[in-house]
Amino acid sequence: MIHSLLSRLLPKSLKNRLISVFLLCILLPLILLSVYMFNSVERVLQNKANERDREQLFSLRQRLEDQSGILVKTWTMMGQDPGLEDMLLYPENYEWSDLKKRIEGKFYGISNSFFLTGSQAYYTILDRKGNIYTSFYPDEPIRYDRQISEPGFQGVLRGNQRYLWVTNDTNYVKREVNRSARMVSLYAALTSNYEELYAVLRISMDYEEWFQRAVEASDQNAGGVYYAIADRDGGTVLSSLPDRKLPQESFIRATAAGEKKDGISWRDGEEGILYTAAYIPSLDWYVVKGTPLSLLFAEINGMKGRFFAIFAVFMGLAIGVTVILSSGITRPLFRLQRKMEIVAGSDLKAVLPETKSTEEVQSLTRSFNRMVKDIHDLVNRLKLEERQKQAIRFQVLLSQMNPHFLLNTLNTIKSIAMQRDQDDIHDICVSLGKLLEAGLNLDVDLIHLKEELGLVSAYMQIQNSRFGRRFEVDYEMDPSLHYALIPKSSLQPLVENAIVHGFGQTAESGNIRIRACRQGDRLVIEVEDDGIGLHAAEAKPKRRANAGVGLSNLRERLSLLYQDRAGLSLEPLPSGTLARLELPMLLATPYRKEEEPHENRAVGGG
């Protein structure tokens, strides 16, 4: 039982068995073991790198939070200073120069207390009496009305918040003193004991300077390692490498899935960088470190290179042995192939005898015999199709000769009618000529609805001349649909059907209504008549042998042009018949010249 099961599972040919044993027993286990070992080593290295980077970023985050905490302490100290409160509430009690000197002294004293080792802080106070006080020389004159209208000051003045952070604030400091583009600013309310707001304080810190100092002692430029500050959307606020930006898409995915308090790590496959980020709640920022995977896995990549070099040598030897073993099988097959080429070149109908031989030779012989038979059948079908194409081409050329002759004859009759003032004959010739020209134009399948209605008018001109002006046609449609594309000669068969079957067996006059409207991405065209009706027409005997050819021809053309996205239906009415044609909405509005401003261009499509 085991032997029969193995015989069914194992390949039949010796060559395939050798290859299967080599792949399953040697190559596959070796590849799986190697992949497992290398992945395990990479995971260990990545975890260690994540732990080290988290510690560095948590330390960097704590230093930045300490700096922001100092700004909050500075606000608290200023808010509790009664002397500063008196000066800002009653500035009229002081000389301006003395008042300015006193407040600048407050700024200087606080800076010496809190900012001895950190970044420089810059103070701005706006009181409620139109005065502004700064601890710095501005790059350009500061106006009270412009400052008070800034979002930070307005957010505090409106009472929405006692304080707020602005992480991308304007730097007003003189450029010779500070060249940074932006600042981190704390806007805070200074209130009295009665909660009366008497001034708004802005404390700005140069976070670019702080950031550069913070990463100077790190390994920021070692092999492409860099630090960055990013906002919540992954936008790079600062980077230790100016030309390096964070990948926003992978950043957003990682921050959305990770826990902010524990730090976030992710790998960006496109850039080949391992990122670690720590969240700063007070500023809604992330401190990010990027380490190239090539640097992190440099040693393991070297091991991979050596391993795969040895593996390639081993594979070369194994393939060589396989070729030697299989040559004993492929050599007789090659001789058989040469014999088949000789036979196939002399007689395409010849077949090879299926003599008793190895399984490979028998299979090849059967395949060759099937191929010869298929090729013989295919050649016969191609010959038959070629003869059919020639016959069709001859019929097309012949059918084009007769209409061209008829069109030239109509032009001659039209000229004679004009010379003899026979307007009716002239009009019929013009209408018939339009229909013939449209039928001869085989290069166009779709035309504008406006042109198709012109063909219907030409057809009705002929029918009314024939039946004594018995029929009237009304058109109901939006002018924007004039340039909708529909199959050529698709309405004329519907109108002809209404005349022949609706009115052809009566002597009464009739009305035909043609409506077109847009329903979503569909164009619906309806042809309604008030004739004898669908059921009465079907009950009457057919006068023509080819009755119904026009509608069946139209349905076949719709199927060729639109597959199953178009339809034609006939519906009985209490008085008459309704033919409904549904097509995909396609608009092709032509270019309008400037001298035609009264016409509106239709916009849309299907």
Side-chain angles (χ1 to χ4, degrees), residues 11 22 54 67 83 105 120 156 158 200 275 307 405 429 550 564:
F22 174 74
R54 280 196 180 95
Q67 287 294 118
Q120 179 66 38
V156 175
R158 290 171 181 165
V200 180
Y275 288 100
F307 169 79
F405 173 74
C429 291
D564 57 350

Side-chain angles (χ1 to χ4, degrees), residues 102-121:
R102 286 171 179 265
I103 293 180
E104 289 177 351
K106 298 285 186 182
F107 293 154
Y108 181 76
I110 292 176
S111 295
N112 287 339
S113 299
F114 289 114
F115 297 96
L116 294 177
T117 59
S119 299
Q120 179 66 38

Side-chain angles (χ1 to χ4, degrees), residues 75 78-82 84-86 88-90 162 189-199:
W75 163 45
M78 287 187 173
Q80 296 174 353
D81 189 335
L84 181 63
E85 178 181 348
D86 183 72
L88 295 176
L89 278 172
Y90 309 105
R162 284 180 55 82
L190 297 178
T191 58
S192 64
N193 294 333
Y194 303 102
E195 297 298 324
E196 177 187 1
L197 189 148
Y198 59 84

Side-chain angles (χ1 to χ4, degrees), residues 318-499:
I319 292 173
V321 172
T322 304
V323 170
I324 294 174
L325 293 175
S326 61
S327 61
I329 300 175
T330 57
R331 191 176 295 113
L333 294 179
F334 178 73
R335 289 195 296 264
L336 179 60
Q337 177 189 0
R338 296 291 300 271
K339 284 184 174 292
M340 288 190 299
E341 289 177 355
I342 295 173
V343 173
S346 60
D347 187 2
L348 188 60
K349 297 181 180 179
V351 294
L352 292 175
E354 298 184 10
T355 59
K356 186 176 181 180
S357 182
T358 61
E359 182 179 348
E360 290 83 358
V361 175
Q362 290 181 352
S363 177
L364 186 59
T365 301
R366 287 192 293 268
S367 299
F368 176 77
N369 291 337
R370 285 196 302 270
M371 179 190 67
V372 170
K373 183 178 181 301
D374 292 342
I375 292 176
H376 182 262
D377 294 342
L378 179 60
V379 169
N380 290 335
R381 284 199 301 270
L382 290 176
K383 290 179 179 179
L384 178 61
E385 290 177 1
E386 184 64 26
R387 289 195 296 269
Q388 292 175 347
K389 288 181 181 178
Q390 291 177 357
I392 292 173
R393 178 174 177 79
F394 176 79
Q395 292 296 332
V396 170
L397 293 175
L398 185 62
S399 65
Q400 287 182 339
M401 291 176 59
N402 293 333
H404 277 294
F405 173 74
L406 181 58
L407 186 61
N408 293 332
T409 304
L410 282 175
N411 289 331
T412 302
I413 297 173
K414 180 176 65 176
S415 301
I416 295 174
M418 289 181 61
Q419 294 173 1
R420 298 182 179 180
D421 293 331
Q422 295 177 346
D423 295 336
D424 292 342
I425 297 177
H426 172 269
D427 293 342
I428 292 176
C429 291
V430 170
S431 299
L432 183 57
K434 289 181 180 180
L435 296 175
L436 285 175
E437 287 178 354
L440 287 175
N441 189 3
L442 302 178
D443 296 330
V444 177
D445 294 323
L446 299 177
I447 63 174
H448 290 139
L449 177 59
K450 183 177 182 180
E451 298 176 18
E452 180 67 16
L453 295 179
L455 297 179
V456 172
S457 298
Y459 174 77
M460 291 306 301
Q461 171 73 20
I462 297 173
Q463 294 293 1
N464 276 323
S465 299
R466 177 184 173 191
F467 292 102
R469 306 288 178 182
R470 288 174 49 196
F471 311 113
E472 293 186 4
V473 181
D474 297 327
Y475 302 96
E476 300 177 10
M477 65 191 66
D478 192 327
S480 63
L481 299 178
H482 283 173
Y483 296 103
L485 293 177
I486 66 173
K488 181 178 65 177
S489 299
S490 56
L491 296 186
Q492 183 263 332
L494 302 181
V495 175
E496 180 181 6
N497 186 71
I499 293 176

Side-chain angles (χ1 to χ4, degrees), residues 15-84:
K15 180 180 180 181
N16 290 337
R17 288 187 179 186
L18 292 174
I19 294 175
S20 300
V21 170
F22 174 74
L23 294 176
L24 296 176
C25 299
I26 300 176
L27 183 60
L28 183 60
L30 185 59
I31 291 176
L32 294 177
L33 180 60
S34 303
V35 171
Y36 172 77
M37 293 298 296
F38 284 127
N39 288 341
S40 299
V41 174
E42 287 183 355
R43 282 196 298 270
V44 172
L45 292 177
Q46 182 173 325
N47 291 337
K48 290 184 177 180
N50 285 338
E51 293 176 3
R52 183 184 67 249
D53 292 344
R54 280 196 180 95
E55 292 177 359
Q56 293 177 352
L57 292 179
F58 287 162
S59 175
L60 199 63
R61 179 183 68 180
Q62 186 61 46
R63 293 169 62 183
L64 184 56
E65 289 181 339
D66 291 343
Q67 287 294 118
S68 61
I70 290 174
L71 299 187
V72 176
K73 291 179 181 178
T74 302
W75 163 45
T76 304
M77 178 177 287
M78 287 187 173
Q80 296 174 353
D81 189 335
L84 181 63

Side-chain angles (χ1 to χ4, degrees), residues 273-318:
I273 294 179
L274 174 65
Y275 288 100
T276 306
Y279 182 61
I280 307 173
S282 59
L283 300 177
D284 198 19
W285 274 354
Y286 288 88
V287 184
V288 186
K289 181 181 179 181
T291 304
L293 295 176
S294 58
L295 177 66
L296 183 62
F297 301 138
E299 185 176 353
I300 194 67
N301 288 336
M303 294 175 59
K304 282 183 179 180
R306 292 189 294 271
F307 169 79
F308 284 114
I310 298 174
F311 184 77
V313 173
F314 175 76
M315 283 296 300
L317 294 174

